[in-house]
Amino acid sequence: MVFMVRMRFLSLAKYFEKLELTSGRIEMTNILVDLFREAKSSEEIAKITYLLIGEIHPPYIGLELGLSEKLIIRSIAIAAGYDNKEVEDFLLKVGDIGKVAEEFISKRKQYSLYIEELTVEGVYNTFDKICRISGEGAITDKVNYLSGLLINADPLEARYLARIADGNLRLGVADMTILDALSIAFGSKEWRKDVEDAYNVMPDIGKIASIIYSGGLEAIKNVDVTIGIPVRPMLAERLQSPEEIWEKTGGKLILEYKYDGERLQIHRDNDNVYIFSRRLENITNQFPDVVEVVKRNIHGERFIVEGEAVAVNPETGEMLPFQVLMHRKRKYDIDRIVKEIPVTLKLFDVLYHEDEGSLIKKPLLKRRKLLERMVEPDDSISLSEMMIPNSIDDIWKFFHLAIEAGCEGLLCKSAGEESIYQAGARGWLWIKFKRDYRAELTDTLDLVVVGALYGRGRKGGIPSSFLMAVYDKENDVFKTVCKVGTGFTDEQLQLMDKMVREYRLDRKPARVESIMTPDFWIEPKIVLEITAAEITISPVHTCGYGVIEDEAGLALRFPRFTGRFREDKAPEDATTEKEVIEMFRMQRKIIG
Ligand code: ATP
């Protein structure tokens, strides 16, 4: 008989504890390398990585645990033999469900006759079952499964089981850190670029981990787009003027309207259509009308296309701003909303087609031609407006037309042989040119909240300003760039108070680099849109530190919240340090 050795969940919990106590990104990577080397199989390493980020399934699968705090409290009470009320009161006191589970399991009154040692596989599979239970009796079954795990748990295991159940593991480990550690654990640092390329077309950390475990670099290099798994979106750089755009692209470009809607990546696999958001979540339920249109107006049975869904006025057909679409986020009554806020789909790319296979390495014009052949346009679907400019003047003309039509500006896309689809990258193959050009900073920034500060006076007991950070993609850390306390309405401050309380930390998160110390730290999760007057040199911020001047970084002057919470962006999608440095250089060029 072959006896399969499995990793104990207790070993994983001990790694979790170590990770929780680290204060630096490098140390965190080293711990992960040790952990990955302990994995016993490709299935096990996938499960370890999902548990590490506290997600049983990646967001594109659309399966969630569905355990409320109340249910977790009930499970702890059952497993330890206490009343719900006792558990609840203790939670009110300590505020961390993990600590509560740990405490009650350590003083449990109830012991199971047969304590079963928890394994990573067993824990993962039980959480998976919890995700899949639905219908009548679902609540009772979910509680039974979770209390079943807790009955067999050590106090340390209980801490992490409860936090995973609550969707709040707080280890500060993100996908990029895992990619680093995987490269080192099974190959070398040199693998990192290929591993990231693979992740960009298959952003499923568990799948990447098991591919690298079983097939090494060769298998990683063979990863390609797959129907059903969303590709990380290609993004645009920005420039200030048509002159610069012309120069940067050598005049070999196409122009497209930049629609102000929601980006959709649409996968069709015969009768199944899946729609993914910019953050790669499965949002098919929000767009039953788009599903219909895709089946009706796009030729082919198996393909991946991308476009922007734009809300339109049902009477006039005029395009409406992005905010209107937010009403689609509701779970109920979607049929009514679909009628009240119809959308038109503006397709701009195709990434896979049954006859051609993967298209991401093909030049843009070839992809666009195929897309033209695939689509039967009508009021609800068409290709993005496009033109091939012959001069800088053409760019201006098309820009004014775009604004007139209610768009944000233009996307200027390189049309040379090199114009592949760069999954997950913000590169110069796409350049955006937006309307708010030259008003204050050319563009807004999307920044991550990493700390909160209390104000004096009217705002009293709730934080009144926030320490904001950019993302340093190369090092996978967050660096501060300003404090922002302007632009919030009272309601928005209340909302921020609620949100930051959920992510509050007593120590600096390992992936945040900061000179300032806020009143309390916040796990990088919340992304806000910020405008500012300009970028200045600052000795107290870590963004761009040492790049422009030796002992100083860059900061935003007069930063202001625009009122837009960028829930469609993960912290790693925030404005990068590199972009701010570029914006600073552009500003110098203009102002001199
Ligand atoms: P923003 O905050 O300006 O929306 P972003 O970070 O979401 O920026 P950008 O790289 O700045 O993304 O701009 C690309 C976005 O513009 C795409 O994600 C897409 O949603 C939208 N878009 C609108 N029209 C087009 C088009 N014709 N081609 C590509 N993207 C388009």
Side-chain angles (χ1 to χ4, degrees), residues 272-288:
N272 295 320
V273 173
Y274 312 99
I275 302 180
F276 300 109
S277 69
R278 189 185 183 293
R279 287 192 71 168
L280 315 180
E281 289 149 338
N282 188 328
I283 50 167
T284 317
N285 289 339
Q286 292 174 28
F287 294 97

Side-chain angles (χ1 to χ4, degrees), residues 545-561:
Y545 202 87
V547 177
I548 307 283
E549 271 183 31
D550 275 353
E551 281 174 26
L554 296 173
L556 299 187
R557 201 159 85 95
F558 302 134
R560 180 162 36 84
F561 177 46

